[in-house]
Amino acid sequence: MGFRTLDDVDVKSRRVLLRVDLNVPIIDGKVTDTTRIKRVASTIEELSWKGAKVILLAHFGRPKGKVSVEHSLKKIIGTMKRVLGCSVYFARDCIGDEAQGAVAAMKDGDVLLFENTRFYAGEEQNDLEFARALAVNGDIYVNDAFSAAHRAHASTEGLARLLPAYVGRLMQAELEALKKGLGDPVRPVVAIIGGAKVSTKIEVLNNLIGKVDALVIGGGMANTFLAADGLNVGKSLCEHDLADAARAIMAKARSEKCTIILPIDAIVAYHFRANVPHQHYGIDAIPADGMILDVGGQSIECINGAIDGAATVVWNGPLGAFELYPFDQGTVQVAKRAAERTREGRLVSIAGGGDTVAALNCAGLAEDFTYLSTAGGAFLEWMEGKPLPGVQILEK
Ligand code: AMP
């Protein structure tokens, strides 16, 4: 399925409603990470340079349909100006007289940020009247917020029904990368799924089994599979009630000829803290009072062997409790191998999700992956194989 991009439209002197993700972290009133603003900068710059009137639409946090100072986008204006290197005007409302007045005052190339769309309940309800009130300020709608595309909200889906709609450059890059990952990948494809719990990723695992050649399961969620296989996992994080679900996933993998790779050894500690004493054990010898906090060296070798044999890797979730040194080592060593293979041009590597991004950033490897998606929920729903309403509506 194709998408209309900014190559398909003349934006000169047109009012462009550009949906972006500006959910940047703020501590003590200061933006602590500008990644999201930087990532959307190229679309804003391109539109401005081409003479569009660029009107930014975004939500911020969860104000639940009410105006709240805490959730105002006004506090990021200074950072936006600094990162974009241009003036950014602000309208204290996203609809009504205030918004229309601010748009009427715009010159070609100007950039204007509207106040939080979620100050109106109609945003999350995808209310047609609210979407119409947004649409009066634009001639064209461009969506550059893949991370919000799993939600059918007025600014992510409703507007595309009312105005000629296009994908922005960031969304375009994301969709192209995801296509390389699971849509139309070069085989063999290896998926690496880690993280805390099986319960949050059952649909991801089920979807991947039908699509990938091998599935590496690591992190706390691997313990549920090991226990379901009759192994003792001691005091490790484990969802014993999901043993049947884990066995069903393994049976499905066997029937679909998808190889499942589980840890064969582990790093075990007795407290869930950084820098605590820890030992290496084979997976069939975990002490009854121990906790598996990372995959062991033999497992790392095995996973890296799978990466060496892969043409495409799709990754979500850390392989251990990566926030606690030294239990980040499994994640870091595997990430290093994927990064190395990618740099050598032998691997397409797509990773995504909050913790995965954090782990790759900590390891200094974020830039080495083919694509790193900062979208949390949308990336997971894509991995689950669900259609994303904000993407679907943009398909030609
Ligand atoms: P998720 O949000 O499901 O991707 O899970 C990420 C979290 O899983 C991180 O906070 C990790 O610390 C945690 N995690 C990964 N492996 C383990 C493990 N073996 N035991 C406990 N927590 C883990």
Side-chain angles (χ1 to χ4, degrees):
M1 200 59 86
F3 298 90
R4 277 189 296 255
T5 72
L6 296 184
D7 297 322
D8 302 314
V9 59
D10 179 8
V11 295
K12 172 105 184 82
S13 302
R14 321 269 304 267
R15 299 168 304 159
V16 177
L17 287 172
L18 174 63
R19 179 56 160 100
V20 289
D21 179 359
L22 299 177
N23 263 289
V24 287
I26 295 187
I27 299 174
D28 293 335
K30 286 213 171 68
V31 176
T32 54
D33 180 358
T34 55
T35 308
R36 286 202 153 128
I37 302 175
K38 283 186 190 146
R39 293 194 104 184
V40 85
S42 59
T43 304
I44 297 173
E45 280 161 12
E46 179 178 340
L47 287 168
S48 168
W49 172 76
K50 286 179 170 171
K53 296 181 173 81
V54 190
I55 304 152
L56 305 176
L57 291 176
H59 74 275
F60 190 68
R62 296 193 170 142
K64 301 212 156 77
K66 293 203 173 63
V67 175
S68 108
V69 178
E70 190 200 336
H71 296 104
S72 173
L73 277 165
K74 191 163 185 207
K75 52 179 162 300
I76 71 160
I77 277 283
T79 310
M80 297 260 319
K81 286 182 188 167
R82 196 162 34 78
V83 174
L84 297 174
C86 68
S87 299
V88 179
Y89 302 99
F90 183 71
R92 285 170 302 167
D93 207 340
C94 61
I95 59 171
D97 294 344
E98 171 88 23
Q100 285 180 40
V103 172
M106 289 177 88
K107 294 187 292 295
D108 290 357
D110 279 355
V111 179
L112 166 71
L113 173 62
F114 274 174
E115 184 55 287
N116 195 340
T117 51
R118 287 199 191 162
F119 281 180
Y120 289 90
E123 163 71 335
E124 292 187 63
Q125 292 160 356
N126 200 3
D127 176 67
L128 181 60
E129 284 315 308
F130 178 68
R132 281 193 179 128
L134 289 174
V136 293
N137 287 310
D139 305 305
I140 294 166
Y141 168 70
V142 178
N143 191 349
D144 219 12
F146 176 81
S147 51
H150 56 314
R151 306 212 162 95
H153 290 174
S155 71
T156 62
E157 204 264 2
L159 270 178
R161 297 178 184 277
L162 301 172
L163 294 173
Y166 301 84
V167 299
R169 295 301 185 199
L170 176 60
M171 170 92 98
Q172 186 183 347
E174 188 111 26
L175 294 174
E176 280 164 9
L178 297 187
K179 191 161 174 243
K180 279 194 219 157
L182 289 180
D184 184 17
V186 184
R187 291 189 177 273
V189 188
V190 173
I192 303 174
I193 302 297
K197 293 183 168 181
V198 175
S199 48
T200 57
K201 293 186 188 167
I202 285 185
E203 290 182 59
V204 171
L205 295 169
N206 272 318
N207 179 48
L208 290 176
I209 281 168
K211 297 205 161 137
V212 305
D213 301 289
L215 177 58
V216 174
I217 302 178
M221 61 192 292
N223 303 335
T224 302
F225 283 84
L226 297 169
D229 231 1
L231 289 160
N232 169 28
V233 295
K235 292 218 164 68
S236 307
L237 177 67
C238 181
E239 294 168 286
H240 290 285
D241 54 326
L242 288 183
D244 284 342
R247 280 190 283 267
I249 287 169
M250 289 193 277
K252 183 173 171 191
R254 273 192 296 277
S255 75
E256 306 223 5
K257 304 216 168 6
C258 167
T259 308
I260 297 242
I261 301 174
L262 280 164
I264 48 177
D265 61 346
I267 305 299
V268 172
Y270 300 88
H271 302 280
F272 192 76
R273 281 203 307 270
N275 296 307
V276 288
H278 53 275
Q279 274 124 25
H280 171 260
Y281 288 97
I283 213 67
D284 53 357
I286 305 298
D289 52 349
M291 265 185 295
I292 299 173
L293 291 188
D294 199 5
V295 290
Q298 292 160 16
S299 307
I300 294 172
E301 277 311 302
C302 175
I303 299 167
N304 283 349
I307 291 175
D308 289 347
T312 304
V313 162
V314 179
W315 186 351
N316 172 264
L319 297 176
F322 79 100
E323 306 93 329
L324 312 174
Y325 183 83
F327 309 110
D328 58 339
Q329 282 311 298
T331 306
V332 169
Q333 297 307 327
V334 170
K336 275 191 178 159
R337 182 64 65 90
E340 204 176 286
R341 300 281 298 177
T342 308
R343 278 196 304 269
E344 289 168 2
R346 297 164 186 245
L347 184 71
V348 172
S349 52
I350 315 283
D355 281 317
T356 317
V357 174
L360 296 182
N361 275 328
C362 281
L365 297 168
E367 300 296 320
D368 294 319
F369 276 61
T370 310
Y371 197 79
L372 184 58
S373 172
T374 51
F379 187 80
L380 264 191
E381 290 200 18
W382 165 76
M383 279 195 134
E384 288 171 358
K386 287 190 184 151
L388 308 178
V391 171
Q392 245 186 344
I393 191 80
L394 297 173
E395 281 168 2
K396 271 196 244 181

